[in-house]
Amino acid sequence: LTTALLTFSRFFARDMRQMLFAGFDGGGTKCEGVVVDASGTVRARATGGSTNQNSVGWEAAQAHFAEVAAELRRAVGPEAVF
């Protein structure tokens, strides 16, 4: 059984008027990330490789997570900070 890691983080657009939320679900087969705005509208989605360090090793798991986070950041714009 693979235990999924679910992490939520909050970040703000440059104008500080619109709050965005990023959520990540990482597991043995893939890592998925999503960004939603305060109304719940999906602003970006990204999928990457496994983030299970027991399956792929710590460095690969970190790299896969970072790739998903970077793709989300590109999708919502450089003004997003998280």
Side-chain angles (χ1 to χ4, degrees):
L1 234 260
T2 300
T3 302
L5 170 65
L6 183 59
T7 305
F8 287 99
S9 63
R10 180 174 84 182
F11 63 96
F12 299 90
R14 180 176 288 170
D15 66 8
M16 299 300 283
R17 288 177 289 172
Q18 183 175 10
M19 190 180 311
L20 301 174
F21 299 88
F24 299 89
D25 180 5
T29 58
K30 66 182 182 285
C31 176
E32 293 184 277
V34 65
V35 174
V36 298
D37 63 22
S39 70
T41 301
V42 174
R43 301 276 304 274
R45 286 186 185 273
T47 302
S50 171
T51 55
N52 184 321
Q53 69 273 9
N54 294 322
S55 298
V56 298
W58 183 247
E59 285 147 9
Q62 286 179 312
H64 293 159
F65 183 86
E67 289 166 6
V68 170
E71 189 173 332
L72 291 174
R73 181 169 287 144
R74 281 190 298 275
V76 296
E79 71 277 0
V81 178
F82 65 104

